[in-house]
Amino acid sequence: MDATDGAPRERRIAPDDSEAVSALSVEAGWNQNVADWRFMLEHGAAFGALDAADRWIGSALALPLGPRLSWIGMVLVTRARRRDGLGTLLLRRCVEHVSASGAVAGLDATDLGRPLYLTMGFHDLYRLSRWRVDRVPPAPPSPPGVELRPMRSADLDTVAAFDAPRSAMERGYMLRHLRGRRPALAWVARRGGAVVGYVTGRGGLGPSSVGPVVADGEDIAIALMAKAMSAASGPFLLDSPDAHAGVAAWLRSAGNTAPRYYIRMTAGDVAGLDDPRHVFALAGPELG
């Protein structure tokens, strides 16, 4: 594809394009900021399209989460160029890239996007809800024997080792980045010296995002969420699997709502990824 006669010109998106390409997510009303784009472009493979004036008009990005899995996100097309197949084309570029690497592609689908993904070989894993948290509910009693404290840089290797078998993702580089982005939202839970849960988060164009939250019990996860959100200024966005009714009841108790949902999908199988038992909040649909 080239720019002849106004046709889009494809090009890989580089980290130095972060500020320019972020106009796509701003136009769409998404919450990612330039720091999010730069992080994803530094670690992932992004495919984009430019118009004749060298303005970004489309994007799609694949972010590796270990050798077995890559997460697809930031599938965006500028308003004036929608419904002409550009988004599907860039999405297919991502899927082809992931397949060529020998990994499985995953994504979080809206109800509008899901029918297309089904035709491309994706299948459902589970449903999750996006919570808008304007009021942090009261913190429940701390789980017996569990200590909550701010996450330190020295904790990161241990936290990543705790996370990998529970999330089915290898994302130590991401957890390091998130801890640095919003330290007030980064907490770790320990029992008897062992990690039993953690939370991180980051700022956005609007609300701050809370997640991932991975823990060995719902009581630990809620305690971590309460501690993190009480230590930082809101509002917050939190993407939680619907399987965790206790988390939903706790958030709802303060009047918070979940106005939208996603379906987690993969084009292939990754052992454990379909089990959200330990995953109480996601990193976000663009990060996995």
Side-chain angles (χ1 to χ4, degrees), residues 207-266:
S208 293
S209 294
V210 177
V213 178
V214 177
D216 281 345
E218 194 166 46
D219 56 345
I220 299 171
I222 292 173
L224 283 163
M225 293 177 190
K227 183 66 76 171
M229 290 189 284
S230 296
S233 57
F236 305 99
L237 296 177
L238 190 148
D239 299 324
S240 182
D242 287 359
H244 300 303
V247 171
W250 177 69
L251 292 170
R252 198 177 289 116
S253 70
N256 300 299
T257 60
R260 64 183 303 182
Y261 69 89
Y262 299 95
I263 303 294
R264 180 144 285 201
M265 307 180 77
T266 55

Side-chain angles (χ1 to χ4, degrees), residues 26 40 51 84 96 113-114 123 128 133 157 174 181 250 283:
V26 171
M40 291 184 287
D51 65 11
D84 65 358
E96 291 165 1
R114 180 174 173 271
H123 63 272
L128 55 120
V133 182
D157 288 344
M174 183 184 299
R181 282 280 297 277
W250 177 69

Side-chain angles (χ1 to χ4, degrees), residues 49-102:
L50 296 145
D51 65 11
D54 279 341
R55 294 172 297 211
W56 290 106
I57 58 173
S59 66
L61 193 146
L63 191 67
L65 297 173
R68 302 173 300 160
L69 178 66
S70 191
W71 210 255
I72 293 177
M74 308 311 291
V75 182
L76 287 156
V77 176
T78 193
R79 190 174 295 114
R81 303 300 294 257
R82 291 174 191 167
R83 295 183 174 84
D84 65 358
L86 180 58
T88 301
L89 173 67
L90 296 173
L91 171 64
R92 291 189 185 278
R93 293 282 188 264
C94 278
V95 173
E96 291 165 1
H97 172 83
V98 173
S99 179
S101 73

Side-chain angles (χ1 to χ4, degrees), residues 146-159:
V146 173
E147 173 204 6
L148 305 179
R149 63 164 174 78
M151 189 185 296
R152 305 165 185 156
S153 59
D155 296 320
L156 285 164
D157 288 344
T158 305
V159 168

